[in-house]
Amino acid sequence: KAGVTQTPRYLIKTRGQQVTLSCSPISGHRSVSWYQQTPGQGLQFLFEYFSETQRNKGNFPGRFSGRQFSNSRSEMNVSTLELGDSALYLCASSLVLSGGAGETQYFGPGTRLLVL
Amino acid sequence: ILNVEQSPQSLHVQEGDSTNFTCSFPSSNFYALHWYRWETAKSPEALFVMTLNGDEKKKGRISATLNTKEGYSYLYIKGSQPEDSATYLCAFPVQGAQKLVFGQGTRLTINP
């Protein structure tokens, strides 16, 4: 079974630009979550999508947005990039992240974004 | 704000030695705790999902225990090998919120 894939793997942008990152979950998984990892901050939850609906959002500014398509693929978008947005962005998929059963999330390799 | 804390932040261990580290989490409204291993340049890999007080899980030389009443979990590695070098993360699912809150991780380096 193919794992979670993310594209692109590396990206360099300049301040003020916008960026779109893509995540393809494991086949059959319907929940996709996004996390940001920066040095010293650990993995911070951005948002989670299930059946094309955002079910939860972390404490990030409105410049961070996402969506999920009918095939469960997900994209996240960051508009008006700031230097502090430089980070590793990970997505994770699970069958149905019910929040009750301790279901495992499977992570992709991440997209490393550098904002200059 | 939900806090998940891991200690120590980093650890250097001689090959062949055993080691352990801690994850502390809120003891109220507990229903699961996840452990992940994250090797450099790879994806975080799920190790264990622990759900019951007193739970003990094992995978090869790695094992984990859980105490939900006092809010901690230990991860043990027996006879450390260089391939055990990684960051070990614990994560606490937030009930009803469909998200995991991660600790900062313990960065383990095995010295040959």
Side-chain angles (χ1 to χ4, degrees):
Chain A
K1 202 181 223 183
V4 179
T5 58
Q6 291 186 246
T7 56
R9 294 292 309 277
Y10 303 93
L11 206 48
I12 299 175
K13 292 285 188 179
T14 56
R15 277 184 301 173
Q17 286 188 310
Q18 76 162 16
V19 67
T20 299
L21 312 181
S22 180
C23 172
S24 293
I26 291 172
S27 177
H29 286 195
R30 295 169 66 189
S31 170
V32 174
S33 299
W34 288 89
Y35 295 86
Q36 180 195 64
Q37 199 249 356
T38 54
Q41 289 293 317
L43 279 168
Q44 301 291 313
F45 173 79
L46 280 157
F47 26 66
E48 187 261 353
Y49 287 87
F50 176 78
S51 291
E52 302 178 65
T53 300
Q54 184 184 92
R55 295 195 294 184
N56 203 8
K57 184 172 166 51
N59 190 25
F60 280 82
R63 300 184 297 106
F64 290 81
S65 63
R67 59 178 175 168
Q68 187 181 35
F69 301 94
S70 59
N71 62 358
S72 294
R73 191 176 70 84
S74 177
E75 290 181 346
M76 69 162 279
N77 183 276
V78 187
S79 62
T80 319
L81 283 165
E82 300 177 0
L83 295 179
D85 297 333
S86 294
L88 180 68
Y89 291 88
L90 289 166
C91 82
S93 75
S94 56
L95 279 167
V96 175
L97 192 57
S98 65
E103 188 180 338
T104 297
Q105 290 189 17
Y106 296 86
F107 283 84
T111 294
R112 188 165 293 280
L113 172 65
L114 177 62
V115 182
L116 301 175
Chain B
I1 294 177
L2 196 156
N3 274 328
V4 179
E5 297 187 358
Q6 293 187 245
S7 62
Q9 285 191 358
S10 66
L11 198 51
H12 290 254
V13 173
Q14 212 51 40
E15 183 177 351
D17 287 350
S18 297
T19 187
N20 65 85
F21 28 92
T22 309
C23 172
S24 301
F25 52 84
S27 56
S28 58
N29 296 321
F30 173 91
Y31 57 96
L33 185 82
H34 298 247
W35 279 101
Y36 285 86
R37 174 170 61 198
W38 193 1
E39 296 178 66
T40 303
K42 294 187 177 180
S43 310
E45 172 198 0
L47 284 174
F48 306 115
V49 179
M50 310 187 76
T51 55
L52 298 174
N53 186 40
D55 225 359
E56 182 168 344
K57 302 268 184 172
K58 191 172 180 182
K59 186 176 183 177
R61 294 178 292 97
I62 303 176
S63 61
T65 61
L66 178 68
N67 184 323
T68 61
K69 293 180 181 178
E70 295 184 34
Y72 65 83
S73 176
Y74 291 139
L75 191 81
Y76 299 90
I77 302 178
K78 186 178 177 182
S80 303
Q81 299 296 309
E83 59 265 30
D84 297 328
S85 295
T87 296
Y88 292 82
L89 297 165
C90 67
F92 189 82
V94 178
Q95 192 168 9
Q98 295 89 31
K99 71 177 188 180
L100 293 176
V101 176
F102 281 85
Q104 296 272 26
T106 292
R107 188 181 185 98
L108 176 66
T109 304
I110 307 301
N111 301 315

